[in-house]
């Protein structure tokens, strides 16, 4: 089982490399991240973008392009289309956002003609490594879906479970977060969490998955808190996935992990035929590398 983010890097070494297509790769920060991933032998990239700019930047950062395929596309729309088509045509295994708007890339991903759409829902999955937690912790969805209804939450959770299973977990433990543990019809988060838990009991999320909810954050991550409150739980203190009710909750928890708990992290978009790596310019080089690596790991499992 993979227990930290460096384990993901190690799991990808020495085997056939998954192929990453990069949409609008003509950006220094993007190419530094790709260079790092190539040097650590975790991917084989295809760079889609302004080939002249890619060449110039690569010389600046001492990135050898001799054995790397570069496809010249000038507009960001052309870059997105070509990068997605590479995955759709099975020339690449997953796709990464370069220097273009997220909406442009996702529009290509969802294109009915050449895109990667499925009957699922695109959702954001973050994975965190923290000193005070004994294993990797997934968080969904704090990046895409604003206020999902119950049916959307089912799809979001299925995406996260698939992402979690790529870590080699024997059993996936999920906590559906809310402000309290008792179902209250005036608090939709508690109602949906209870329904997700019952759906799991009926086999909705596959084998070796435990979904509990509603659970407050402290009961989800602390077995001691459950013992003090005399709350019986099979996931408390050992949860793998935190399922949040709204984007604000996920965004707040995620940024708290990053800025207050000094956590390491990686993030991908699930729900398409292949993972989509979206990195922010504010992300550290380390975080960008881990996001590429996690996308590669999931893509490898999905092949």
């Amino acid at each position: 089982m993979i227990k930290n983010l460096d384990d993901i890097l190690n799991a990808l070494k020495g085997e056939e490399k998954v192929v990453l297509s990069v949409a609008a790769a003509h950006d220094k920060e993007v190419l530094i991240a790709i260079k790092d991933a190539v040097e650590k032998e975790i991917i084989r990239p295809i760079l889609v973008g302004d080939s002249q700019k890619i060449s110039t930047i690569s010389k600046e950062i001492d990135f050898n392009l001799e054995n790397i395929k570069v496809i010249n596309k000038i507009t960001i729309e052309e870059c997105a289309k070509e990068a997605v088509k590479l995955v759709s045509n099975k020339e690449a295994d997953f796709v990464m956002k370069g220097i273009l708007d997220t909406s442009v890339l996702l529009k290509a991903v969802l294109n009915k003609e050449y895109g990667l759409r499925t009957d699922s829902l695109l959702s954001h999955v973050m994975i965190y490594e923290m000193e005070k937690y004994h294993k990797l912790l997934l968080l969904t969805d704090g990046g895409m879906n604003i206020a999902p209804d119950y049916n959307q939450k089912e799809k979001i959770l299925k995406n996260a479970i698939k992402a979690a299973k790529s870590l080699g977990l024997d059993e996936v433990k999920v906590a559906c977060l809310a402000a309290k543990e008792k179902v209250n019809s005036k608090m939709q988060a508690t109602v949906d969490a209870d329904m997700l838990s019952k759906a799991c009991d009926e086999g909705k999320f596959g084998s070796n998955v435990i979904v509990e909810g509603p659970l407050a954050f402290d009961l989800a991550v602390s077995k001691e808190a459950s013992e003090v409150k005399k709350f019986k739980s099979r996931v408390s203190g050992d949860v793998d996935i935190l399922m949040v009710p709204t984007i604000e909750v996920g965004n707040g928890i995620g940024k708290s992990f990053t800025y207050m708990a000094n956590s390491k992290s990686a993030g991908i978009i699930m729900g398409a035929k292949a993972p989509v790596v979206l990195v922010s310019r504010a992300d550290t080089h380390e975080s960008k590398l881990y996001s590429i690596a996690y996308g590669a790991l999931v893509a490898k499992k999905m092949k």
Side-chain angles (χ1 to χ4, degrees), residues 16-59:
E16 183 180 353
K17 303 293 180 292
V18 288
V19 180
L20 170 63
S21 67
V22 186
H26 46 275
D27 175 76
K28 187 173 183 179
E29 291 296 317
V30 170
L31 287 173
I32 289 173
I34 297 300
K35 177 190 176 187
D36 199 8
V38 169
E39 290 178 346
K40 287 185 166 54
E41 302 180 349
I42 61 175
I43 58 151
R44 181 163 60 86
I46 300 176
L47 306 178
V48 182
D50 187 319
S51 60
Q52 186 173 352
K53 290 182 180 179
I54 290 172
S55 178
T56 300
I57 296 168
S58 295
K59 288 177 182 177

Side-chain angles (χ1 to χ4, degrees), residues 2 29 41 50 74 93 105 122 128 138 167 173 181 183 226 241-242 245 250 258 266 279 290:
I2 291 173
E29 291 296 317
E41 302 180 349
D50 187 319
I74 303 302
D93 300 304
L105 179 58
L122 295 185
Y128 294 91
L138 279 70
L167 301 173
K173 298 178 180 179
E181 292 72 55
V183 177
S226 289
I241 300 172
L242 295 177
T258 300
V279 294
Y290 287 139

